[in-house]
Amino acid sequence: MECRDAITGRRSCRNFTDRAVEKEKLTAILEAALMAPSPANKQPWEFLVAADPKYNARLKETSEKTKHKLAARSGWKWLPTFNIDFLIQAPVLIVVLGDPSRSGAEQFLDEPSPGYLEACSAAIQNMLLAAHDQGLATLWFSLYEKSDVREIFAVDDDKDPVAVICVGYSEHPAATPARKTLDEKVKFL
Ligand SMILES: Cc1cc2nc3c(=O)[nH]c(=O)nc-3n(C[C@H](O)[C@H](O)[C@H](O)COP(=O)(O)O)c2cc1C
């Protein structure tokens, strides 16, 4: 697949089938993650791969509670009815763990930036594109309390559970959410 096609064709999936993910495809996704850039090449990431429905069930249960808590706090009317059954459906969950101690020199700037988080995000995008390239569908999921994910997946306190990536096959491709134009988002200086 052309790089441009992967970038434009990738969509967030919220309706997975029960088709299992092939081991070699999963390996390719994880290898793509490892090729991401990171500050000073610190590679501040680890990946937990969960393919056991017990993890899906617990994540769904805790995320439902979180969802309602956030709905109350935010006042966002759509949130209580936002369906997160994809957490049950996805045959594989990849938990992306960041290591805050492996950030680059920019953590010491006057306005520090969290290099580990930026690197993990680059690794995640690599995974999403590699998955799409192989006909797989993904969702970058973040609607959870970190304490819940730490408990469910036995994550050490010094690691940051940056995201949970749902991986599987899509029932039907989602429409492309609208994007702003270059004119709105880019200023040539
Ligand atoms: C940091 C981050 C967190 C996200 N968290 C969630 C989430 O918790 N639940 C969800 O359904 N989608 C989540 N998404 C997916 C976005 O909703 C989605 O990327 C956006 O609507 C654009 O759609 P597209 O990915 O199909 O282009 C997240 C995306 C990012 C980058």
Side-chain angles (χ1 to χ4, degrees), residues 68-116:
H68 290 289
K69 181 176 76 180
L70 299 189
R73 281 185 191 168
S74 65
W76 293 0
K77 299 248 181 307
W78 59 270
L79 202 44
T81 56
F82 182 63
N83 189 334
I84 56 171
D85 285 351
F86 52 78
L87 291 176
I88 295 289
Q89 299 162 353
V92 176
L93 302 172
I94 301 177
V95 186
V96 181
L97 303 180
D99 183 343
S101 75
R102 300 187 68 76
S103 287
E106 66 266 48
Q107 67 186 299
F108 304 111
L109 290 168
D110 292 342
E111 284 184 55
S113 79
Y116 81 95

mmCIF file of all heavy atoms in Angstrom, residues 68-116:
data_model
loop_
_atom_site.group_PDB
_atom_site.id
_atom_site.type_symbol
_atom_site.label_atom_id
_atom_site.label_comp_id
_atom_site.label_asym_id
_atom_site.label_seq_id
_atom_site.Cartn_x
_atom_site.Cartn_y
_atom_site.Cartn_z
ATOM 1 N N HIS A 68 -19.340 7.470 32.383
ATOM 2 C CA HIS A 68 -20.440 8.176 33.057
ATOM 3 C C HIS A 68 -19.917 9.266 33.995
ATOM 4 O O HIS A 68 -20.524 10.329 34.126
ATOM 5 C CB HIS A 68 -21.350 7.175 33.776
ATOM 6 C CG HIS A 68 -22.141 6.353 32.793
ATOM 7 N ND1 HIS A 68 -23.167 6.885 32.043
ATOM 8 C CD2 HIS A 68 -22.027 5.076 32.392
ATOM 9 C CE1 HIS A 68 -23.662 5.968 31.236
ATOM 10 N NE2 HIS A 68 -22.985 4.850 31.422
ATOM 11 N N LYS A 69 -18.794 8.995 34.609
ATOM 12 C CA LYS A 69 -18.179 10.016 35.468
ATOM 13 C C LYS A 69 -17.775 11.235 34.628
ATOM 14 O O LYS A 69 -18.064 12.378 34.997
ATOM 15 C CB LYS A 69 -16.940 9.411 36.151
ATOM 16 C CG LYS A 69 -16.227 10.358 37.079
ATOM 17 C CD LYS A 69 -15.084 9.666 37.801
ATOM 18 C CE LYS A 69 -13.896 9.463 36.895
ATOM 19 N NZ LYS A 69 -12.763 8.796 37.563
ATOM 20 N N LEU A 70 -17.168 10.982 33.484
ATOM 21 C CA LEU A 70 -16.737 12.085 32.624
ATOM 22 C C LEU A 70 -17.924 12.827 32.022
ATOM 23 O O LEU A 70 -17.878 14.045 31.821
ATOM 24 C CB LEU A 70 -15.829 11.574 31.502
ATOM 25 C CG LEU A 70 -14.532 10.891 31.941
ATOM 26 C CD1 LEU A 70 -13.627 10.637 30.750
ATOM 27 C CD2 LEU A 70 -13.796 11.711 32.981
ATOM 28 N N ALA A 71 -18.998 12.088 31.755
ATOM 29 C CA ALA A 71 -20.205 12.729 31.218
ATOM 30 C C ALA A 71 -20.754 13.724 32.235
ATOM 31 O O ALA A 71 -21.131 14.855 31.891
ATOM 32 C CB ALA A 71 -21.253 11.678 30.873
ATOM 33 N N ALA A 72 -20.770 13.294 33.504
ATOM 34 C CA ALA A 72 -21.267 14.184 34.560
ATOM 35 C C ALA A 72 -20.358 15.402 34.713
ATOM 36 O O ALA A 72 -20.830 16.534 34.842
ATOM 37 C CB ALA A 72 -21.363 13.411 35.877
ATOM 38 N N ARG A 73 -19.049 15.164 34.666
ATOM 39 C CA ARG A 73 -18.104 16.272 34.857
ATOM 40 C C ARG A 73 -18.117 17.257 33.698
ATOM 41 O O ARG A 73 -18.010 18.464 33.887
ATOM 42 C CB ARG A 73 -16.676 15.722 34.988
ATOM 43 C CG ARG A 73 -16.377 15.177 36.367
ATOM 44 C CD ARG A 73 -14.911 14.769 36.438
ATOM 45 N NE ARG A 73 -14.689 14.022 37.661
ATOM 46 C CZ ARG A 73 -13.591 13.330 37.916
ATOM 47 N NH1 ARG A 73 -12.614 13.298 37.033
ATOM 48 N NH2 ARG A 73 -13.451 12.683 39.041
ATOM 49 N N SER A 74 -18.216 16.716 32.487
ATOM 50 C CA SER A 74 -18.076 17.574 31.292
ATOM 51 C C SER A 74 -19.398 18.200 30.876
ATOM 52 O O SER A 74 -19.412 19.243 30.237
ATOM 53 C CB SER A 74 -17.534 16.751 30.121
ATOM 54 O OG SER A 74 -18.477 15.756 29.749
ATOM 55 N N GLY A 75 -20.491 17.505 31.207
ATOM 56 C CA GLY A 75 -21.791 17.964 30.729
ATOM 57 C C GLY A 75 -22.009 17.634 29.260
ATOM 58 O O GLY A 75 -22.980 18.082 28.653
ATOM 59 N N TRP A 76 -21.115 16.833 28.687
ATOM 60 C CA TRP A 76 -21.237 16.470 27.275
ATOM 61 C C TRP A 76 -22.396 15.480 27.099
ATOM 62 O O TRP A 76 -22.337 14.357 27.603
ATOM 63 C CB TRP A 76 -19.940 15.856 26.744
ATOM 64 C CG TRP A 76 -18.797 16.834 26.695
ATOM 65 C CD1 TRP A 76 -18.823 18.150 27.073
ATOM 66 C CD2 TRP A 76 -17.463 16.582 26.262
ATOM 67 N NE1 TRP A 76 -17.585 18.722 26.896
ATOM 68 C CE2 TRP A 76 -16.737 17.794 26.394
ATOM 69 C CE3 TRP A 76 -16.803 15.452 25.778
ATOM 70 C CZ2 TRP A 76 -15.389 17.896 26.068
ATOM 71 C CZ3 TRP A 76 -15.463 15.545 25.442
ATOM 72 C CH2 TRP A 76 -14.769 16.760 25.582
ATOM 73 N N LYS A 77 -23.417 15.917 26.375
ATOM 74 C CA LYS A 77 -24.662 15.141 26.286
ATOM 75 C C LYS A 77 -24.496 13.821 25.523
ATOM 76 O O LYS A 77 -25.208 12.865 25.760
ATOM 77 C CB LYS A 77 -25.743 15.984 25.594
ATOM 78 C CG LYS A 77 -26.091 17.271 26.331
ATOM 79 C CD LYS A 77 -27.508 17.207 26.894
ATOM 80 C CE LYS A 77 -27.948 18.447 27.612
ATOM 81 N NZ LYS A 77 -27.057 18.901 28.671
ATOM 82 N N TRP A 78 -23.549 13.777 24.586
ATOM 83 C CA TRP A 78 -23.388 12.558 23.768
ATOM 84 C C TRP A 78 -22.673 11.442 24.511
ATOM 85 O O TRP A 78 -22.781 10.270 24.159
ATOM 86 C CB TRP A 78 -22.607 12.873 22.469
ATOM 87 C CG TRP A 78 -21.230 13.430 22.719
ATOM 88 C CD1 TRP A 78 -20.896 14.749 22.853
ATOM 89 C CD2 TRP A 78 -20.008 12.689 22.893
ATOM 90 N NE1 TRP A 78 -19.540 14.872 23.091
ATOM 91 C CE2 TRP A 78 -18.973 13.634 23.123
ATOM 92 C CE3 TRP A 78 -19.690 11.324 22.870
ATOM 93 C CZ2 TRP A 78 -17.646 13.246 23.333
ATOM 94 C CZ3 TRP A 78 -18.366 10.941 23.077
ATOM 95 C CH2 TRP A 78 -17.362 11.894 23.311
ATOM 96 N N LEU A 79 -21.960 11.804 25.559
ATOM 97 C CA LEU A 79 -21.061 10.833 26.183
ATOM 98 C C LEU A 79 -21.776 9.631 26.833
ATOM 99 O O LEU A 79 -21.342 8.491 26.650
ATOM 100 C CB LEU A 79 -20.152 11.563 27.186
ATOM 101 C CG LEU A 79 -18.830 10.923 27.572
ATOM 102 C CD1 LEU A 79 -18.073 10.349 26.396
ATOM 103 C CD2 LEU A 79 -17.969 11.929 28.320
ATOM 104 N N PRO A 80 -22.882 9.835 27.565
ATOM 105 C CA PRO A 80 -23.504 8.678 28.211
ATOM 106 C C PRO A 80 -23.952 7.606 27.220
ATOM 107 O O PRO A 80 -23.982 6.424 27.552
ATOM 108 C CB PRO A 80 -24.719 9.278 28.936
ATOM 109 C CG PRO A 80 -24.401 10.717 29.098
ATOM 110 C CD PRO A 80 -23.551 11.095 27.921
ATOM 111 N N THR A 81 -24.308 8.011 26.013
ATOM 112 C CA THR A 81 -24.803 7.023 25.035
ATOM 113 C C THR A 81 -23.706 6.548 24.079
ATOM 114 O O THR A 81 -23.976 5.772 23.164
ATOM 115 C CB THR A 81 -25.966 7.619 24.194
ATOM 116 O OG1 THR A 81 -25.493 8.820 23.579
ATOM 117 C CG2 THR A 81 -27.172 7.924 25.059
ATOM 118 N N PHE A 82 -22.481 7.015 24.279
ATOM 119 C CA PHE A 82 -21.385 6.593 23.408
ATOM 120 C C PHE A 82 -21.102 5.103 23.646
ATOM 121 O O PHE A 82 -20.765 4.688 24.754
ATOM 122 C CB PHE A 82 -20.147 7.442 23.707
ATOM 123 C CG PHE A 82 -18.968 7.136 22.835
ATOM 124 C CD1 PHE A 82 -19.022 7.337 21.466
ATOM 125 C CD2 PHE A 82 -17.781 6.649 23.386
ATOM 126 C CE1 PHE A 82 -17.931 7.055 20.660
ATOM 127 C CE2 PHE A 82 -16.691 6.374 22.594
ATOM 128 C CZ PHE A 82 -16.763 6.571 21.225
ATOM 129 N N ASN A 83 -21.279 4.334 22.584
ATOM 130 C CA ASN A 83 -21.185 2.877 22.705
ATOM 131 C C ASN A 83 -19.725 2.411 22.699
ATOM 132 O O ASN A 83 -18.993 2.681 21.745
ATOM 133 C CB ASN A 83 -21.952 2.260 21.515
ATOM 134 C CG ASN A 83 -22.095 0.754 21.656
ATOM 135 O OD1 ASN A 83 -21.286 0.103 22.317
ATOM 136 N ND2 ASN A 83 -23.131 0.213 21.049
ATOM 137 N N ILE A 84 -19.334 1.736 23.775
ATOM 138 C CA ILE A 84 -17.941 1.257 23.818
ATOM 139 C C ILE A 84 -17.883 -0.282 23.781
ATOM 140 O O ILE A 84 -16.961 -0.891 24.325
ATOM 141 C CB ILE A 84 -17.166 1.837 25.021
ATOM 142 C CG1 ILE A 84 -17.859 1.545 26.350
ATOM 143 C CG2 ILE A 84 -16.935 3.322 24.855
ATOM 144 C CD1 ILE A 84 -17.008 1.919 27.575
ATOM 145 N N ASP A 85 -18.861 -0.878 23.106
ATOM 146 C CA ASP A 85 -18.850 -2.338 22.947
ATOM 147 C C ASP A 85 -17.631 -2.829 22.163
ATOM 148 O O ASP A 85 -17.284 -4.011 22.224
ATOM 149 C CB ASP A 85 -20.123 -2.807 22.221
ATOM 150 C CG ASP A 85 -21.326 -2.763 23.138
ATOM 151 O OD1 ASP A 85 -21.143 -2.545 24.357
ATOM 152 O OD2 ASP A 85 -22.457 -2.933 22.643
ATOM 153 N N PHE A 86 -17.003 -1.909 21.418
ATOM 154 C CA PHE A 86 -15.802 -2.312 20.669
ATOM 155 C C PHE A 86 -14.727 -2.858 21.603
ATOM 156 O O PHE A 86 -13.878 -3.644 21.203
ATOM 157 C CB PHE A 86 -15.254 -1.145 19.820
ATOM 158 C CG PHE A 86 -15.036 0.134 20.585
ATOM 159 C CD1 PHE A 86 -13.941 0.306 21.402
ATOM 160 C CD2 PHE A 86 -15.960 1.170 20.488
ATOM 161 C CE1 PHE A 86 -13.749 1.484 22.116
ATOM 162 C CE2 PHE A 86 -15.776 2.363 21.196
ATOM 163 C CZ PHE A 86 -14.669 2.510 22.021
ATOM 164 N N LEU A 87 -14.806 -2.461 22.870
ATOM 165 C CA LEU A 87 -13.821 -2.978 23.823
ATOM 166 C C LEU A 87 -14.010 -4.474 24.053
ATOM 167 O O LEU A 87 -13.053 -5.192 24.364
ATOM 168 C CB LEU A 87 -13.923 -2.232 25.159
ATOM 169 C CG LEU A 87 -13.476 -0.769 25.146
ATOM 170 C CD1 LEU A 87 -13.711 -0.133 26.505
ATOM 171 C CD2 LEU A 87 -12.011 -0.647 24.748
ATOM 172 N N ILE A 88 -15.239 -4.930 23.941
ATOM 173 C CA ILE A 88 -15.521 -6.358 24.073
ATOM 174 C C ILE A 88 -15.192 -7.078 22.768
ATOM 175 O O ILE A 88 -14.678 -8.196 22.764
ATOM 176 C CB ILE A 88 -17.025 -6.578 24.411
ATOM 177 C CG1 ILE A 88 -17.355 -5.989 25.774
ATOM 178 C CG2 ILE A 88 -17.403 -8.054 24.344
ATOM 179 C CD1 ILE A 88 -16.779 -6.743 26.947
ATOM 180 N N GLN A 89 -15.500 -6.409 21.651
ATOM 181 C CA GLN A 89 -15.363 -7.069 20.340
ATOM 182 C C GLN A 89 -13.910 -7.281 19.905
ATOM 183 O O GLN A 89 -13.582 -8.307 19.294
ATOM 184 C CB GLN A 89 -16.049 -6.213 19.261
ATOM 185 C CG GLN A 89 -17.533 -6.006 19.471
ATOM 186 C CD GLN A 89 -18.057 -4.821 18.642
ATOM 187 O OE1 GLN A 89 -17.296 -4.090 18.024
ATOM 188 N NE2 GLN A 89 -19.370 -4.653 18.651
ATOM 189 N N ALA A 90 -13.065 -6.302 20.172
ATOM 190 C CA ALA A 90 -11.706 -6.339 19.605
ATOM 191 C C ALA A 90 -10.962 -7.590 20.071
ATOM 192 O O ALA A 90 -10.800 -7.806 21.276
ATOM 193 C CB ALA A 90 -10.935 -5.088 20.010
ATOM 194 N N PRO A 91 -10.486 -8.411 19.141
ATOM 195 C CA PRO A 91 -9.806 -9.648 19.559
ATOM 196 C C PRO A 91 -8.445 -9.420 20.213
ATOM 197 O O PRO A 91 -7.968 -10.268 20.952
ATOM 198 C CB PRO A 91 -9.664 -10.444 18.258
ATOM 199 C CG PRO A 91 -9.913 -9.491 17.149
ATOM 200 C CD PRO A 91 -10.700 -8.342 17.693
ATOM 201 N N VAL A 92 -7.852 -8.263 19.936
ATOM 202 C CA VAL A 92 -6.541 -7.973 20.543
ATOM 203 C C VAL A 92 -6.539 -6.550 21.101
ATOM 204 O O VAL A 92 -7.039 -5.619 20.458
ATOM 205 C CB VAL A 92 -5.396 -8.103 19.501
ATOM 206 C CG1 VAL A 92 -4.056 -7.702 20.125
ATOM 207 C CG2 VAL A 92 -5.317 -9.523 18.958
ATOM 208 N N LEU A 93 -5.979 -6.414 22.280
ATOM 209 C CA LEU A 93 -5.748 -5.092 22.874
ATOM 210 C C LEU A 93 -4.242 -4.934 23.067
ATOM 211 O O LEU A 93 -3.587 -5.823 23.630
ATOM 212 C CB LEU A 93 -6.433 -4.979 24.244
ATOM 213 C CG LEU A 93 -7.946 -5.213 24.283
ATOM 214 C CD1 LEU A 93 -8.436 -5.248 25.738
ATOM 215 C CD2 LEU A 93 -8.685 -4.142 23.495
ATOM 216 N N ILE A 94 -3.718 -3.820 22.568
ATOM 217 C CA ILE A 94 -2.289 -3.535 22.806
ATOM 218 C C ILE A 94 -2.209 -2.346 23.762
ATOM 219 O O ILE A 94 -2.673 -1.247 23.441
ATOM 220 C CB ILE A 94 -1.540 -3.200 21.502
ATOM 221 C CG1 ILE A 94 -1.649 -4.368 20.510
ATOM 222 C CG2 ILE A 94 -0.064 -2.886 21.800
ATOM 223 C CD1 ILE A 94 -0.986 -4.096 19.154
ATOM 224 N N VAL A 95 -1.673 -2.594 24.929
ATOM 225 C CA VAL A 95 -1.497 -1.519 25.906
ATOM 226 C C VAL A 95 -0.119 -0.912 25.677
ATOM 227 O O VAL A 95 0.894 -1.616 25.704
ATOM 228 C CB VAL A 95 -1.603 -2.054 27.353
ATOM 229 C CG1 VAL A 95 -1.564 -0.904 28.351
ATOM 230 C CG2 VAL A 95 -2.867 -2.878 27.530
ATOM 231 N N VAL A 96 -0.107 0.400 25.433
ATOM 232 C CA VAL A 96 1.156 1.098 25.179
ATOM 233 C C VAL A 96 1.606 1.736 26.481
ATOM 234 O O VAL A 96 0.909 2.583 27.051
ATOM 235 C CB VAL A 96 0.981 2.176 24.089
ATOM 236 C CG1 VAL A 96 2.312 2.871 23.814
ATOM 237 C CG2 VAL A 96 0.418 1.550 22.812
ATOM 238 N N LEU A 97 2.767 1.299 26.945
ATOM 239 C CA LEU A 97 3.306 1.820 28.200
ATOM 240 C C LEU A 97 4.455 2.765 27.914
ATOM 241 O O LEU A 97 5.394 2.409 27.190
ATOM 242 C CB LEU A 97 3.816 0.671 29.077
ATOM 243 C CG LEU A 97 2.801 -0.414 29.433
ATOM 244 C CD1 LEU A 97 3.470 -1.473 30.307
ATOM 245 C CD2 LEU A 97 1.598 0.193 30.143
ATOM 246 N N GLY A 98 4.376 3.961 28.465
ATOM 247 C CA GLY A 98 5.464 4.926 28.309
ATOM 248 C C GLY A 98 6.315 4.956 29.566
ATOM 249 O O GLY A 98 5.814 4.732 30.673
ATOM 250 N N ASP A 99 7.594 5.255 29.366
ATOM 251 C CA ASP A 99 8.516 5.348 30.498
ATOM 252 C C ASP A 99 8.955 6.809 30.643
ATOM 253 O O ASP A 99 9.831 7.280 29.909
ATOM 254 C CB ASP A 99 9.723 4.444 30.236
ATOM 255 C CG ASP A 99 10.689 4.434 31.415
ATOM 256 O OD1 ASP A 99 10.593 5.340 32.269
ATOM 257 O OD2 ASP A 99 11.542 3.535 31.464
ATOM 258 N N PRO A 100 8.337 7.547 31.584
ATOM 259 C CA PRO A 100 8.646 8.975 31.727
ATOM 260 C C PRO A 100 10.116 9.250 31.997
ATOM 261 O O PRO A 100 10.616 10.335 31.687
ATOM 262 C CB PRO A 100 7.782 9.408 32.918
ATOM 263 C CG PRO A 100 6.684 8.395 32.990
ATOM 264 C CD PRO A 100 7.283 7.113 32.523
ATOM 265 N N SER A 101 10.830 8.285 32.531
ATOM 266 C CA SER A 101 12.257 8.510 32.839
ATOM 267 C C SER A 101 13.107 8.453 31.572
ATOM 268 O O SER A 101 14.302 8.765 31.608
ATOM 269 C CB SER A 101 12.761 7.468 33.840
ATOM 270 O OG SER A 101 12.940 6.223 33.200
ATOM 271 N N ARG A 102 12.524 8.040 30.470
ATOM 272 C CA ARG A 102 13.274 7.937 29.214
ATOM 273 C C ARG A 102 12.850 9.017 28.225
ATOM 274 O O ARG A 102 12.680 8.760 27.041
ATOM 275 C CB ARG A 102 13.122 6.541 28.613
ATOM 276 C CG ARG A 102 13.632 5.446 29.553
ATOM 277 C CD ARG A 102 13.654 4.091 28.909
ATOM 278 N NE ARG A 102 14.652 3.998 27.859
ATOM 279 C CZ ARG A 102 15.963 3.877 28.058
ATOM 280 N NH1 ARG A 102 16.443 3.837 29.289
ATOM 281 N NH2 ARG A 102 16.794 3.790 27.041
ATOM 282 N N SER A 103 12.648 10.216 28.743
ATOM 283 C CA SER A 103 12.371 11.355 27.875
ATOM 284 C C SER A 103 13.712 11.965 27.473
ATOM 285 O O SER A 103 14.741 11.718 28.103
ATOM 286 C CB SER A 103 11.506 12.382 28.606
ATOM 287 O OG SER A 103 10.175 11.903 28.742
ATOM 288 N N GLY A 104 13.703 12.764 26.426
ATOM 289 C CA GLY A 104 14.969 13.332 25.940
ATOM 290 C C GLY A 104 15.361 14.587 26.691
ATOM 291 O O GLY A 104 14.770 14.942 27.728
ATOM 292 N N ALA A 105 16.337 15.280 26.155
ATOM 293 C CA ALA A 105 16.874 16.476 26.809
ATOM 294 C C ALA A 105 15.820 17.571 26.951
ATOM 295 O O ALA A 105 15.935 18.435 27.824
ATOM 296 C CB ALA A 105 18.070 16.998 26.019
ATOM 297 N N GLU A 106 14.776 17.518 26.125
ATOM 298 C CA GLU A 106 13.773 18.595 26.188
ATOM 299 C C GLU A 106 12.970 18.583 27.485
ATOM 300 O O GLU A 106 12.271 19.541 27.788
ATOM 301 C CB GLU A 106 12.847 18.579 24.969
ATOM 302 C CG GLU A 106 11.940 17.392 24.823
ATOM 303 C CD GLU A 106 12.557 16.315 23.949
ATOM 304 O OE1 GLU A 106 13.739 15.971 24.164
ATOM 305 O OE2 GLU A 106 11.852 15.815 23.060
ATOM 306 N N GLN A 107 13.118 17.533 28.271
ATOM 307 C CA GLN A 107 12.442 17.528 29.580
ATOM 308 C C GLN A 107 13.078 18.555 30.520
ATOM 309 O O GLN A 107 12.511 18.886 31.553
ATOM 310 C CB GLN A 107 12.481 16.133 30.203
ATOM 311 C CG GLN A 107 13.872 15.674 30.586
ATOM 312 C CD GLN A 107 13.903 14.240 31.064
ATOM 313 O OE1 GLN A 107 13.278 13.882 32.053
ATOM 314 N NE2 GLN A 107 14.634 13.405 30.332
ATOM 315 N N PHE A 108 14.302 19.030 30.161
ATOM 316 C CA PHE A 108 14.995 19.986 31.018
ATOM 317 C C PHE A 108 14.872 21.430 30.522
ATOM 318 O O PHE A 108 15.515 22.333 31.064
ATOM 319 C CB PHE A 108 16.483 19.600 31.125
ATOM 320 C CG PHE A 108 16.679 18.191 31.608
ATOM 321 C CD1 PHE A 108 17.181 17.209 30.760
ATOM 322 C CD2 PHE A 108 16.319 17.821 32.900
ATOM 323 C CE1 PHE A 108 17.327 15.897 31.197
ATOM 324 C CE2 PHE A 108 16.465 16.512 33.350
ATOM 325 C CZ PHE A 108 16.974 15.544 32.494
ATOM 326 N N LEU A 109 14.087 21.637 29.495
ATOM 327 C CA LEU A 109 13.868 22.994 28.988
ATOM 328 C C LEU A 109 13.091 23.826 30.000
ATOM 329 O O LEU A 109 12.460 23.278 30.927
ATOM 330 C CB LEU A 109 13.077 22.939 27.673
ATOM 331 C CG LEU A 109 13.822 22.372 26.455
ATOM 332 C CD1 LEU A 109 12.850 22.100 25.329
ATOM 333 C CD2 LEU A 109 14.909 23.350 26.014
ATOM 334 N N ASP A 110 13.082 25.152 29.806
ATOM 335 C CA ASP A 110 12.278 26.008 30.688
ATOM 336 C C ASP A 110 10.812 25.598 30.629
ATOM 337 O O ASP A 110 10.102 25.598 31.627
ATOM 338 C CB ASP A 110 12.418 27.479 30.257
ATOM 339 C CG ASP A 110 13.824 27.992 30.512
ATOM 340 O OD1 ASP A 110 14.547 27.355 31.315
ATOM 341 O OD2 ASP A 110 14.206 29.005 29.902
ATOM 342 N N GLU A 111 10.371 25.273 29.418
ATOM 343 C CA GLU A 111 9.023 24.717 29.258
ATOM 344 C C GLU A 111 9.198 23.270 28.821
ATOM 345 O O GLU A 111 9.252 22.979 27.624
ATOM 346 C CB GLU A 111 8.239 25.486 28.195
ATOM 347 C CG GLU A 111 7.736 26.841 28.656
ATOM 348 C CD GLU A 111 6.881 27.516 27.593
ATOM 349 O OE1 GLU A 111 5.897 26.905 27.131
ATOM 350 O OE2 GLU A 111 7.233 28.643 27.214
ATOM 351 N N PRO A 112 9.297 22.339 29.765
ATOM 352 C CA PRO A 112 9.634 20.954 29.407
ATOM 353 C C PRO A 112 8.537 20.328 28.551
ATOM 354 O O PRO A 112 7.371 20.667 28.694
ATOM 355 C CB PRO A 112 9.705 20.244 30.754
ATOM 356 C CG PRO A 112 9.585 21.276 31.795
ATOM 357 C CD PRO A 112 9.035 22.520 31.176
ATOM 358 N N SER A 113 8.948 19.432 27.671
ATOM 359 C CA SER A 113 7.928 18.681 26.939
ATOM 360 C C SER A 113 8.123 17.194 27.223
ATOM 361 O O SER A 113 9.245 16.738 27.425
ATOM 362 C CB SER A 113 7.977 19.006 25.449
ATOM 363 O OG SER A 113 8.998 18.316 24.834
ATOM 364 N N PRO A 114 7.008 16.466 27.298
ATOM 365 C CA PRO A 114 7.088 15.050 27.692
ATOM 366 C C PRO A 114 7.514 14.187 26.518
ATOM 367 O O PRO A 114 6.683 13.615 25.811
ATOM 368 C CB PRO A 114 5.655 14.744 28.136
ATOM 369 C CG PRO A 114 4.813 15.682 27.325
ATOM 370 C CD PRO A 114 5.639 16.897 27.023
ATOM 371 N N GLY A 115 8.823 14.086 26.326
ATOM 372 C CA GLY A 115 9.348 13.366 25.162
ATOM 373 C C GLY A 115 8.855 11.934 25.061
ATOM 374 O O GLY A 115 8.607 11.431 23.976
ATOM 375 N N TYR A 116 8.704 11.270 26.208
ATOM 376 C CA TYR A 116 8.283 9.858 26.160
ATOM 377 C C TYR A 116 6.877 9.725 25.571
ATOM 378 O O TYR A 116 6.587 8.791 24.830
ATOM 379 C CB TYR A 116 8.338 9.240 27.564
ATOM 380 C CG TYR A 116 7.142 9.543 28.425
ATOM 381 C CD1 TYR A 116 6.082 8.646 28.503
ATOM 382 C CD2 TYR A 116 7.046 10.734 29.125
ATOM 383 C CE1 TYR A 116 4.968 8.926 29.274
ATOM 384 C CE2 TYR A 116 5.939 11.033 29.893
ATOM 385 C CZ TYR A 116 4.907 10.117 29.962
ATOM 386 O OH TYR A 116 3.789 10.401 30.718
#
